[in-house]
Amino acid sequence: MLQCIFLISDSGEVMLEKQLTGHRVDRSICAWFWDQSISQGDSFKLLPVIASPTHYLFQIVRDGITLLACSQVEMPPLMAIEFLCRVADVLSDYLGGLNEDLVKDNFIIVYELLDEMIDNGFPLTTEPSILREMIAPPNLVSKMLSVVTGNASNVSDTLPSGAGSCVPWRPTDPKYSSNEVYVDLVEEMDAIVNRDGELVKCEIYGEVQMNSQLSGFPDLTLSFANPAILEDIRFHPCVRFRPWESHQVLSFVPPDGEFKLMSYRVKKLKNTPVYVKPQITSDSGTCRISMLVGIRNDPGKTIECITLSFQLPHCVSSADLSSNHGTVTILSNKTCTWTIGRIPKDKTPCLSGTLTLETGLERLHVFPTFKLGFKIMGIALSGLRIEKLDLQTIPPRLYKGFRAQTRAGEFDVRL
């Protein structure tokens, strides 16, 4: 049972406090948490579960905002972490993002959402489509009306149509003139390449995202051509687990509108679509840098939005970098970004230049880590393929659409 939730900014300010039970949690627990975070550094922020002298703490960090939940009794830690992730997703959906200014400007809606999402310390309603029926998202008109009328509440006077249903994530009887289902495979490639150019780690984190616009009470089944490659699978509550366990088939009654059906990982991939070959030499207070970026394995689709960014070491006083393709920008905080876009067919993109070290330094002893970004539309690099999507109760004139895309996640090239 959760007893309190805090939203903490990246400066340590408690922006929002929500007491969930009759037992009040003192705000001093946030001061203890922040002191530990400062003294132990980033390693402390990576701990999802923390045992303080008086409470068990659960934390996630989203866009610089720390969501901290407290409990004095033992409870399943995954339930607390999953609930905090749901809260972060719902707030991002409602507010169009998650940062300090958005939370402070819409704190009434944040409190109302938390009131509906958790009851006496136990998660209650976390489905975004149902929450939207209960609490209207903020907009300019509602803000003006609240100023004029003095009524700042956005809570509806009636319960959602699916509140009394056996499937609370779906309205009772939605109506559409055309019945459509869209399925997106969205994947991120995480990779680490060492200084010898060897692939240390390469895996895919993927999501099956859907947009369901179906009338009535549809029952769907979705199957994959190669489900054996999937690991660390997480399902939406609408998925029936038994059909997947026995036949690797997703059977579900979908929520209305957009939702994430499942997430997964595909591990131990053997290659990447793009290679990066950096080289840095230093002598007499000057470093020479050169980098080549090219296609290693052609995926059959155009690789777009290729970028390469890295942080110049603090001992570098100035940099003079240029490229034969794309643009190079160096910000005041010494962040360098090489925007390539698409790789041309007639030449290999190359960045070269010199770095000048601070006075008294002869050689560079701290080397940067290069972060690669790219996007490929129309393909899932994990190799996952959707075999078919069937409806047990087929509406007339049903349209089904499928798409896939892969982008770079944490793609690091180390020296």
Side-chain angles (χ1 to χ4, degrees):
M1 179 178 67
L2 296 177
Q3 295 175 306
C4 187
I5 291 179
F6 297 98
L7 267 65
I8 306 175
S9 69
D10 55 1
S11 61
E13 177 190 358
V14 179
M15 299 183 298
L16 185 141
E17 171 188 340
K18 176 63 176 175
Q19 300 290 336
L20 305 175
T21 64
H23 180 79
R24 181 176 179 82
V25 178
D26 193 84
R27 188 176 283 200
S28 61
I29 191 67
C30 295
W32 179 90
F33 169 81
W34 197 251
D35 290 341
Q36 296 294 317
S37 179
I38 293 175
S39 62
Q40 299 186 31
D42 292 337
S43 60
F44 186 78
K45 294 183 178 180
L46 296 177
L47 297 175
V49 182
I50 303 162
S52 76
T54 57
H55 294 81
Y56 295 104
L57 305 180
F58 309 92
Q59 67 158 333
I60 67 168
V61 180
R62 290 284 183 89
D63 299 328
I65 303 296
T66 300
L67 284 81
L68 185 70
C70 307
S71 176
Q72 281 188 316
V73 298
E74 290 191 5
M75 61 175 293
L78 287 179
M79 184 184 77
I81 295 168
E82 175 65 18
F83 177 73
L84 291 179
C85 291
R86 292 288 184 93
V87 171
D89 291 340
V90 168
L91 292 182
S92 297
D93 183 40
Y94 261 76
L95 308 181
L98 189 59
N99 58 51
E100 187 174 350
D101 293 334
L102 287 173
V103 172
K104 290 182 177 179
D105 291 343
N106 300 277
F107 73 94
I108 294 178
I109 285 185
V110 175
Y111 273 112
E112 290 172 346
L113 287 171
L114 290 176
D115 277 335
E116 301 297 340
M117 294 182 71
I118 191 166
D119 181 36
N120 198 34
F122 293 96
L124 184 62
T125 303
T126 60
E127 187 60 41
S129 60
I130 299 300
L131 288 170
R132 284 181 175 274
E133 291 189 46
M134 302 170 70
I135 302 172
N139 55 56
L140 183 60
V141 175
S142 63
K143 290 181 179 179
M144 293 177 63
L145 286 176
S146 66
V147 173
V148 174
T149 62
N151 181 17
S153 176
N154 292 282
V155 180
S156 173
D157 294 331
T158 58
L159 281 175
S161 57
S165 169
C166 60
V167 283
W169 55 81
R170 183 173 180 83
T172 303
D173 191 20
K175 299 290 186 181
Y176 290 99
S177 58
S178 61
N179 292 281
E180 303 172 342
V181 179
Y182 301 97
V183 183
D184 289 340
L185 289 181
V186 181
E187 297 188 343
E188 288 187 352
M189 174 174 281
D190 299 332
I192 297 176
V193 181
N194 65 13
R195 63 182 182 181
D196 298 322
E198 298 173 349
L199 195 60
V200 178
K201 166 193 168 183
C202 186
E203 64 181 37
I204 291 285
Y205 170 78
E207 295 180 353
V208 179
Q209 300 176 358
M210 294 190 66
N211 187 355
S212 170
Q213 300 176 6
L214 300 174
S215 302
F217 197 79
D219 198 333
L220 288 76
T221 58
L222 177 67
S223 58
F224 301 101
N226 49 348
I229 66 174
L230 302 179
E231 300 182 54
D232 300 341
I233 303 172
R234 294 173 57 195
F235 295 119
H236 187 279
C238 70
V239 176
R240 305 179 181 99
F241 186 66
R242 191 177 296 276
W244 175 264
E245 189 177 30
S246 56
H247 304 293
Q248 282 72 55
V249 173
L250 296 175
S251 175
F252 57 98
V253 175
D256 191 43
E258 298 180 358
F259 67 100
K260 181 174 70 174
L261 181 64
M262 63 177 287
S263 64
Y264 58 88
R265 288 191 185 274
V266 179
K267 301 180 179 180
K268 298 181 180 180
L269 298 180
K270 301 299 182 182
N271 51 56
T272 62
V274 180
Y275 69 81
V276 179
K277 294 181 179 179
Q279 185 177 5
I280 296 180
T281 59
S282 60
D283 190 22
S284 302
T286 301
C287 296
R288 289 167 293 279
I289 181 172
S290 66
M291 282 186 290
L292 296 175
V293 177
I295 297 177
R296 183 189 300 275
N297 293 286
D298 192 347
K301 299 289 184 178
T302 303
I303 305 177
E304 304 175 320
C305 304
I306 299 176
T307 60
L308 193 68
S309 61
F310 59 96
Q311 186 77 31
L312 294 175
H314 294 293
C315 59
V316 174
S317 59
S318 64
D320 182 15
L321 303 175
S322 61
S323 65
N324 64 351
H325 181 78
T327 58
V328 180
T329 57
I330 302 177
L331 302 180
S332 58
N333 61 357
K334 295 187 177 181
T335 299
C336 179
T337 302
W338 180 20
T339 304
I340 301 172
R342 297 182 180 182
I343 294 179
K345 296 181 179 180
D346 57 341
K347 60 182 177 181
T348 300
C350 175
L351 180 144
S352 60
T354 58
L355 308 178
T356 303
L357 304 182
E358 293 178 346
T359 305
L361 292 177
E362 293 292 325
R363 301 178 62 86
L364 185 66
H365 299 287
V366 179
F367 294 92
T369 297
F370 301 94
K371 294 186 176 295
L372 179 68
F374 62 82
K375 183 172 69 173
I376 309 174
M377 302 298 297
I379 190 172
L381 290 183
S382 66
L384 183 65
R385 300 190 307 276
I386 295 176
E387 188 174 49
K388 59 181 177 179
L389 174 65
D390 293 330
L391 278 76
Q392 307 304 317
T393 54
I394 301 179
R397 299 185 302 277
L398 174 68
Y399 177 78
K400 297 179 285 186
F402 303 92
R403 295 185 304 184
Q405 67 164 300
T406 303
R407 57 177 179 258
E410 294 293 328
F411 198 119
D412 295 346
V413 181
R414 299 177 178 176
L415 288 177

